[in-house]
Each structure stands twice: as C-alpha cells, then as structure tokens.
Amino acid sequence: MSDIPACPQCGMENTYPDGDNYVCADCGHEWPMVAAASTEEGAVVRDVNGNVLNSGDSVVVIKDLKVKGSSIPLKQGTMIRNIRLVDGDAEHIEGNSDKIKGLVLKVCFLKKA
C-alpha cells in the first residue's frame, strides 16, 4: 500500500502527487501535500482566508445561512464568539450567536474576527 492519502473530497484512492499537490484522478480535486501531512498529525482548523482558528476565538459569518430547526437565518456579518473546535474534525466548529444557541458551522463560511 502506498503512502499517498485518499481524496478528502470523494474518498477514492486513485490519487497521485503533482508538484506540491496531490490530485484525485476521479473527481479532479487538488489539495496541498502540506495540508495532508498536518491532518495526519492533528487537525488544524482554518477559516476561509486560511487563518488558524483556536478554541475561544471569535468568527464572523461571511454569507447568509439557513439554520436547520430555526426560522431565523444566520445573517452575513453575525459574530460567533467563544467558538469550540470539534475533536477530529477540521471542517466544523461549535458556537453560539446572540439569537441561536448550539450551532455547528462549517469553517468555509467563517472568517476570523
């Protein structure tokens, strides 16, 4: 078995190195080799701009989001204070807004405040 990781987007193992990136031949997804190495060591959570997020940070929502189980949408510019990182998951954080409690949000819709 090779040490080349499976594609994080589709899960297929038909991947190959190309310069400083890994490329999935099935879905065309490309990701840096450095990011693959850091996820093996420990999940590094980054916002949409690439800034590292830590527990206790504040983040801002970058677009309007519909919230399941609530009739109130999460508006662009809403501040989420005192976030918590989800163990083993570099794509989600937990936090509370002023109006909605117990949110689990994807980091691709957040930027560090």
Side-chain angles (χ1 to χ4, degrees), residues 49-102:
N49 295 328
N51 299 321
V52 176
L53 297 175
N54 298 309
S55 290
D57 285 347
S58 296
V59 294
V60 177
V61 178
I62 62 169
K63 68 177 263 185
D64 291 354
L65 299 173
K66 293 181 182 178
V67 179
K68 288 185 179 180
S70 175
S71 61
I72 304 169
L74 205 55
K75 296 287 188 178
Q76 178 180 357
T78 301
M79 176 78 71
I80 308 294
R81 292 181 179 85
N82 198 17
I83 64 168
R84 294 176 302 281
L85 303 181
V86 178
D87 289 336
D89 189 358
E91 295 186 17
H92 294 90
I93 58 106
E94 297 176 349
N96 298 320
S97 71
D98 293 336
K99 297 179 181 179
I100 306 171
K101 307 299 180 203

Side-chain angles (χ1 to χ4, degrees), residues 2-75:
S2 69
D3 57 341
I4 299 174
C7 177
Q9 188 166 6
C10 70
M12 301 298 286
E13 294 186 11
N14 191 12
T15 58
Y16 59 91
D18 183 29
D20 291 336
N21 293 332
Y22 289 120
V23 180
C24 178
D26 296 315
C27 69
H29 179 67
E30 294 185 20
W31 69 100
M33 290 181 184
V34 176
S38 67
T39 56
E40 293 171 1
E41 298 168 356
V44 176
V45 181
R46 296 183 182 272
D47 69 356
V48 71
N49 295 328
N51 299 321
V52 176
L53 297 175
N54 298 309
S55 290
D57 285 347
S58 296
V59 294
V60 177
V61 178
I62 62 169
K63 68 177 263 185
D64 291 354
L65 299 173
K66 293 181 182 178
V67 179
K68 288 185 179 180
S70 175
S71 61
I72 304 169
L74 205 55
K75 296 287 188 178

